[in-house]
Amino acid sequence: MPNCPECNGTTIVRNGKIHNGKQRYLCRSCGRQFIENPTVKRIPSETWALVDKLLLERVPMAGIARVTGISDVWVQRYVNRVFKEVPKQAAIAEKKTAR
């Protein structure tokens, strides 16, 4: 059995097959699903940095997907993940008043 690419765990179980017949595995430690030798590579961090810049420029997600070559679903998941990390309370400093 392969080790988990996320946590390098060894508590791996088989978890079905993907559309082309490759074996899918599940890590019992972190819950990550993966295949042993993926043909599709991970999206580089430089591309995600470009997505961040395009989001700041208020480019629509469909446009970001076209420019970067990432699917709409992946861009939406990334935006949702980043949004969860943003603090919901704004830190407001009190104004100094002249007395």
Side-chain angles (χ1 to χ4, degrees), residues 64-83:
I64 293 172
R66 280 192 305 271
V67 168
T68 59
I70 303 172
S71 74
D72 296 342
V73 175
W74 280 44
V75 173
Q76 182 66 59
R77 285 183 190 153
Y78 177 73
V79 169
N80 291 346
R81 187 174 69 234
V82 169
F83 180 73

Side-chain angles (χ1 to χ4, degrees), residues 45-61 63-64 67-68 70 75 78-79 82:
S45 59
E46 296 84 24
T47 305
W48 290 121
L50 176 61
V51 169
D52 287 337
K53 287 180 183 179
L54 293 172
L55 284 170
L56 288 174
E57 293 295 325
R58 299 186 64 165
V59 175
M61 282 193 278
I64 293 172
V67 168
T68 59
I70 303 172
V75 173
Y78 177 73
V79 169
V82 169

Side-chain angles (χ1 to χ4, degrees), residues 1-5 7-14 24-29 32 34:
M1 290 280 185
N3 288 349
C4 175
C7 68
N8 207 22
T10 57
T11 54
I12 307 297
V13 294
R14 290 191 198 171
R24 182 173 31 194
Y25 298 98
L26 173 70
C27 177
R28 293 284 178 146
S29 302
R32 162 101 189 251
F34 63 96

Side-chain angles (χ1 to χ4, degrees), residues 4-6 32-33 37-39 41-42 45 48-49 52-53 57 60 64 69 75 84 89-90 94 96:
C4 175
E6 189 76 22
R32 162 101 189 251
Q33 291 186 37
N37 295 315
T39 55
K41 302 299 178 196
R42 298 196 110 192
S45 59
W48 290 121
D52 287 337
K53 287 180 183 179
E57 293 295 325
I64 293 172
V75 173
K84 284 182 184 176
Q89 288 284 336
E94 287 192 34
K96 293 183 181 179

